[in-house]
Every structure is written in structure tokens, then in C-alpha cells.
Amino acid sequence: AGIADYLVERLNAKGDYTQIGVVAATNAVNYNYIDPSANPNDQSYTYKVFSQDSCDYIRDSTNIGQTMFLTAVGDNAGTNILTWNDYADWANKVSHYEIYRNEDHGPYTLIHAGVMANGTETYTDNVSQIITGQGVFGYYIVAFENPPPYPFVDSSVSNIAEAYQDPRLYVPNAFNPKGVNKVFIPVGVFVDLQNYDFTIYDRWGQLLFETSDPTTGWDGTFHGRLVEEGVYVYRIQYTSSKGEYFTQRGWVMMLK
């Protein structure tokens, strides 16, 4: 009897293969199946395909195919740690991996290509020199097969994982409207621009200045006139790219 169907099975939590789909056998060179119940952002999945003849007998099975599951975690040191499992199971194993990164959901660029030993893989991406944007970094991994006995080389792409860098805010402690440093303005890195509020108060709590524009600072005036030399209180409220709220308070010396 000839082959009638291909049975697609997936490894379950108990270590058994469970049928999840059937693909009818035709004269096609390649067959494809999309697993509608899988969520590759949650875990890695392992698959195997069995051939079934017209008498419903299982005739043969493929090697396994295990997807790569990538995670990415940012820390306060300006690095993002990537971890993933090897792709399995090509006959000649994995040749090398390529790592791609984007910033704030922009275009992806290749940041690393190299051979790595089999086993759970990690890669540390130093992003401390990046001082613009909102601190959202997306990654994916591509595995490439060692040249096999058949006439093509395959590849496999992981899920997309995002790492978040916490915001950093640098605030001067003095400024001189008539000097070199004429405007008092905080400098933020990885601050969400949609939720920013910067206010200045005098010692009696009167509001002198307020803006929601991170590029605008206080020039030391109130109602168009320079205030008296002295100490003034600031409050800065902002959120991170993860939606976490931050409030920073302090004082600044206004000099004349």
C-alpha cells in the first residue's frame, strides 16, 4: 500500500507524542504544517512526522524537530542576557547561530554570528553605549545546519524575545541663566516620552515651572522675570518602557 497521510505529532508534558494534525500525501516535494495550538513565545516544541499507508499502518518516521525558545532579560549594568536551547535534531547538528537585535521596535540588524557548543546557549549583549530611545530591545536567533547529505542547507528561527533596560536620569545640581549652563534640564536615558512631567517649586511650594516635554528645561524665570538666586525644588515623574512609574525629587541651586 502507498503512503496516504503524514501524521504530525508533538511531544507532550508526559514525554509522549500526541497527534496534532494530518497532511495528505501528494506528489509534492515539500510538505508544510502550521501548528495552531502552539505558542512559541512560551516554550520550545518538539515534533515528529509519521507516514501512514492506505491501510492505516505506520510505515516510517522522521527525525525530531525541536524549536528554539529564546528569553532576554535586561539588568541595571547596561547588558541584556539572552538564553536559548539548541535547535534539534539535524543529522549533522548546528553549524552556527546568528543573533539579530532591534531597538524600540525598529529594523533588525545582525549583532553576532558564530559557532557555539551544543547545550543551553547564552549571549551577553552590552547596550551601555546606547543612550537614546526607550530601552526596548528585541532579539531573535537563527540556527544554520551543517552541510547535510541532501542537496540543501536548512535553517531555523527562534521566537522574538524582548529585554528592557531601566531608565536612567541625570540631574544637574546647579545652573546659571547668565553663564555657560543657562538652562536647568534633566537628561534621561530610556525614559518613556509619553509619561513625563517636570516641575519646579520655590521654598514656599509655589509652582514656578512645569513641562511634559523632555527636551525643555527651566531657564530660571517666572512670569518672564529671573527669580532670586537660591535653592529650588524639582520633581520629575516618568515611566519606563515596561510601564513602571518613577518619581525623583531634589534641589537645584540657581546662580546669578
Side-chain angles (χ1 to χ4, degrees):
I3 300 302
D5 299 296
Y6 294 104
L7 311 181
V8 182
E9 300 195 1
R10 188 176 74 195
L11 194 66
N12 59 34
K14 296 180 180 180
D16 303 318
Y17 281 93
T18 304
Q19 183 177 319
I20 60 171
V22 178
V23 178
T26 64
N27 292 325
V29 176
N30 297 308
Y31 293 86
N32 297 286
Y33 177 79
I34 296 176
D35 183 359
S37 63
N39 186 350
N41 290 315
D42 283 345
Q43 66 177 81
S44 171
Y45 292 91
T46 301
Y47 298 91
K48 202 169 188 178
V49 177
F50 296 83
S51 60
Q52 180 175 264
D53 66 20
S54 55
C55 296
D56 295 337
Y57 286 105
I58 302 299
R59 291 299 186 184
D60 199 1
S61 64
T62 66
N63 61 309
I64 68 168
Q66 183 184 13
T67 64
M68 295 180 294
F69 175 55
L70 172 67
T71 61
V73 178
D75 60 19
N76 292 327
T79 57
N80 295 326
I81 311 299
L82 312 185
T83 305
W84 70 96
N85 62 286
D86 280 305
Y87 177 83
D89 181 31
W90 286 317
N92 287 355
K93 307 301 180 183
V94 174
S95 166
H96 66 281
Y97 292 96
E98 291 183 352
I99 302 176
Y100 291 83
R101 181 187 73 205
N102 76 1
E103 300 170 23
D104 297 332
H105 305 107
Y108 282 91
T109 57
L110 176 66
I111 62 169
H112 178 80
V115 178
M116 298 180 180
N118 285 334
T120 300
E121 308 294 357
T122 61
Y123 178 81
T124 300
D125 185 24
N126 187 345
V127 295
S128 61
Q129 301 303 312
I130 299 175
I131 58 173
T132 60
Q134 298 183 22
V136 183
F137 297 88
Y139 297 90
Y140 68 86
I141 309 289
V142 183
F144 291 89
E145 182 182 18
N146 269 312
Y150 35 85
F152 64 90
V153 175
D154 211 345
S155 62
S156 182
V157 182
S158 75
N159 60 303
I160 292 175
E162 289 189 338
Y164 300 87
Q165 285 290 318
D166 286 336
R168 302 191 297 270
L169 202 64
Y170 306 95
V171 185
N173 57 16
F175 77 109
N176 187 341
K178 297 180 180 179
V180 176
N181 185 14
K182 299 178 182 298
V183 178
F184 173 54
I185 182 171
V187 178
V189 179
F190 304 147
V191 174
D192 188 345
L193 304 182
Q194 302 301 316
N195 297 284
Y196 177 85
D197 186 66
F198 173 37
T199 52
I200 302 289
Y201 300 87
D202 64 17
R203 67 183 68 185
W204 297 280
Q206 182 179 14
L207 177 64
L208 304 179
F209 172 80
E210 183 174 20
T211 182
S212 59
D213 181 0
T215 64
T216 300
W218 183 44
D219 61 2
T221 64
F222 180 58
H223 292 326
R225 299 180 59 181
L226 278 178
V227 298
E228 295 295 325
E229 181 176 280
V231 174
Y232 294 86
V233 177
Y234 66 81
R235 185 188 67 183
I236 309 166
Q237 294 178 313
Y238 56 96
T239 59
S240 69
S241 54
K242 293 184 287 187
E244 299 171 323
Y245 283 86
F246 294 84
T247 299
Q248 186 167 331
R249 296 180 175 88
W251 58 267
V252 60
M253 173 68 74
M254 203 278 277
L255 305 170
K256 287 187 179 179

